[in-house]
Amino acid sequence: MEFGFHMPVDLIFGTGAVSNNAKKLVLGSKALIVTGRNSARISGALDDVVSVLTSENIDYYVFDGVMNNPTLENVSKGASFGRENGADFIIAIGGGSPMDAAKAIAALMTNDMNPIDLISTVPKNQSLPIAAIPTTSGTGSEVTPYSILTVHSMNTKKNFYSPSSFPRVAFADPAYTYSLPYEITLDTAFDAFSHLLESYLSKRSNYFNDVIAIEGMKAFAECMDALNTGEITEKTRESLMYSSCLGGVAITHTGTTIIHAMGYSLTYFKGYSHGRANAMLIGSYLDFNRTAQPEKVEKVLSILGFESIDEVDKYFMVGMDKRPVLDDGEIDKFTGLAMGQGSVMQNPRTVKADDINKLYRELFGGKG
Ligand SMILES: [Fe+2]
């Protein structure tokens, strides 16, 4: 058996994580808080952070302009704001968008570079240190080095990461997700599940990583009824955050596969949330990869408590009447963009453009 495992994030999980570990939040002398418009405030996370910084006598500046699916322009603006104010560490609060944006901002603040170069080169200088505080349970970004950025010049999302993009510390407090609306809870939980599933089936998976992915899928499975009915308890919130953290650790070691590669266009061009875009692809993904990983596909079915892939597909369509219909031009364009994502290489079954095209056509060709 041979494998490597590197997880440099100091992860603190549990209610009161920030307030109970105040010293760990202080990674410098002047903080740039990176967040979106609402979630940091509504969740109570921003209040907790400000209270710690005030009691520790740390100056801070708030950049609350992170957009959903942050663009290069957006992170560039955040970096300029941070630089103007002389911040020397970053506190990211929010869902995937603020945490991903913070990683790009942390790199741009220490490197004089064109933002577009983030996706093709590893920045020369180390990023500023980041403390990450998730307010959703989905992306797992608090424990990954990944930063998913929308690149308009390429009509898609691209992944930026460098060895210094891992948050230095992550505070995963399920209480920050108590106020999340049902739709976002569902979408983000589906994103977390797709991370666990894709990691488990990835060509880069190994025994050690499999244990993490399986544990995360089991935690997700415990929440499936609640996600279906919308009756989400605090215990469920805790399990969802646990599965999301495990999903982040899992994809740190394997990356994602074709679910993410194919889903990006459904978000970029059709406006579906990231988790929902992935969820629409999960059933077909299992079916397509069954021949490559028969035992693992069976294991996933048993963890989810289903006997057939049809049942899986039906579950992940909860709250949706049907899939959108794409025309031939869209299917061809989305196929080309999916094949341009590095993650297709990690898919358990080797994929060609024809395979991706066929999968899009079967799901979104308007025949189903
Ligand atoms: Fe994702």
Side-chain angles (χ1 to χ4, degrees):
M1 194 186 290
E2 280 180 29
F3 65 86
F5 194 83
H6 179 60
M7 165 56 189
V9 182
D10 182 2
L11 172 63
I12 302 161
F13 188 100
T15 308
V18 170
S19 308
N20 296 337
N21 297 277
K23 298 276 182 226
K24 291 203 170 191
L25 185 66
V26 181
L27 301 175
S29 57
K30 212 180 257 190
L32 174 68
I33 298 176
V34 174
T35 186
R37 288 265 173 247
N38 300 314
S39 67
R41 292 185 172 84
I42 296 169
S43 64
L46 184 61
D47 282 349
D48 287 350
V49 164
V50 166
S51 158
V52 165
L53 294 177
T54 306
S55 66
E56 298 289 325
N57 282 318
I58 300 294
D59 286 343
Y60 64 90
Y61 300 88
V62 180
F63 177 71
D64 63 0
V66 177
M67 60 208 294
N68 268 339
N69 304 308
T71 60
L72 292 176
E73 297 75 19
N74 191 212
V75 295
S76 186
K77 211 169 141 193
S80 302
F81 177 80
R83 228 182 276 122
E84 280 159 25
N85 289 298
D88 60 3
F89 75 106
I90 290 181
I91 300 173
I93 309 174
S97 295
M99 288 192 286
D100 286 8
K103 293 172 190 168
I105 291 170
L108 291 174
M109 281 181 66
T110 55
N111 289 279
D112 190 14
M113 64 192 291
N114 191 330
I116 188 79
D117 293 334
L118 283 176
I119 56 168
S120 54
T121 52
V122 175
K124 198 158 74 58
N125 303 321
Q126 292 237 324
S127 296
L128 287 186
I130 300 169
I133 306 174
T135 59
T136 64
S137 297
T139 166
S141 185
E142 66 277 10
V143 289
T144 78
Y146 304 136
S147 165
I148 311 295
L149 302 170
T150 294
V151 184
H152 285 312
S153 62
M154 301 169 93
N155 283 335
T156 190
K157 292 179 170 190
K158 285 283 180 182
N159 183 15
F160 152 70
Y161 67 94
S162 84
S164 65
S165 293
F166 277 105
R168 187 80 61 85
V169 58
F171 301 88
D173 184 341
Y176 293 150
T177 65
Y178 289 173
S179 56
L180 272 186
Y182 172 62
E183 271 299 308
I184 298 177
T185 304
L186 197 61
D187 289 352
T188 47
F190 287 171
D191 184 28
F193 178 76
S194 63
H195 295 159
L196 293 157
L197 173 65
E198 288 177 87
S199 179
Y200 183 53
L201 265 65
S202 165
K203 273 185 180 156
R204 288 166 61 191
S205 65
N206 60 44
Y207 293 113
F208 202 83
N209 209 70
D210 285 355
V211 172
I212 292 165
I214 288 169
E215 173 70 2
M217 286 191 283
K218 284 181 179 169
F220 172 86
E222 284 169 16
C223 305
M224 286 171 68
D225 286 345
L227 289 170
N228 208 3
T229 61
E231 288 164 30
I232 299 165
T233 63
E234 291 180 6
K235 174 78 192 83
T236 302
R237 296 280 182 200
E238 184 179 68
S239 296
L240 289 173
M241 186 159 273
Y242 179 54
S243 82
S244 164
C245 286
L246 289 166
V249 174
I251 54 166
T252 293
H253 294 90
T254 59
T256 54
T257 62
I258 58 170
I259 293 180
H260 274 67
M262 291 178 69
Y264 287 152
S265 285
L266 297 171
T267 300
Y268 189 86
F269 294 102
K270 294 290 171 184
Y272 287 95
S273 73
H274 174 55
R276 180 56 79 172
N278 291 354
M280 287 192 276
L281 298 160
I282 285 172
S284 291
Y285 171 81
L286 285 170
D287 194 40
F288 179 76
N289 286 305
R290 196 170 204 159
T291 49
Q293 289 282 10
E295 284 167 22
K296 284 194 168 182
V297 170
E298 285 310 313
K299 177 82 179 168
V300 172
L301 288 177
S302 101
I303 290 171
L304 296 179
F306 293 132
E307 292 192 352
S308 72
I309 290 176
D310 279 350
E311 288 176 293
V312 178
D313 188 58
K314 195 157 167 260
Y315 177 80
F316 283 99
M317 288 294 285
V318 59
M320 275 192 93
D321 296 338
K322 53 184 185 334
R323 290 178 174 82
V325 175
L326 307 176
D327 64 34
D328 288 351
E330 286 175 317
I331 289 174
D332 291 346
K333 179 165 70 175
F334 292 7
T335 298
L337 288 166
M339 289 304 291
Q341 296 286 346
S343 54
V344 294
M345 304 297 290
Q346 267 68 259
N347 196 64
R349 185 172 146 192
T350 302
V351 277
K352 299 196 179 76
D354 282 353
D355 299 316
I356 298 285
N357 199 277
K358 195 163 165 244
L359 283 168
Y360 272 130
R361 215 164 278 282
E362 283 169 2
L363 287 170
F364 306 103
K367 296 187 189 94

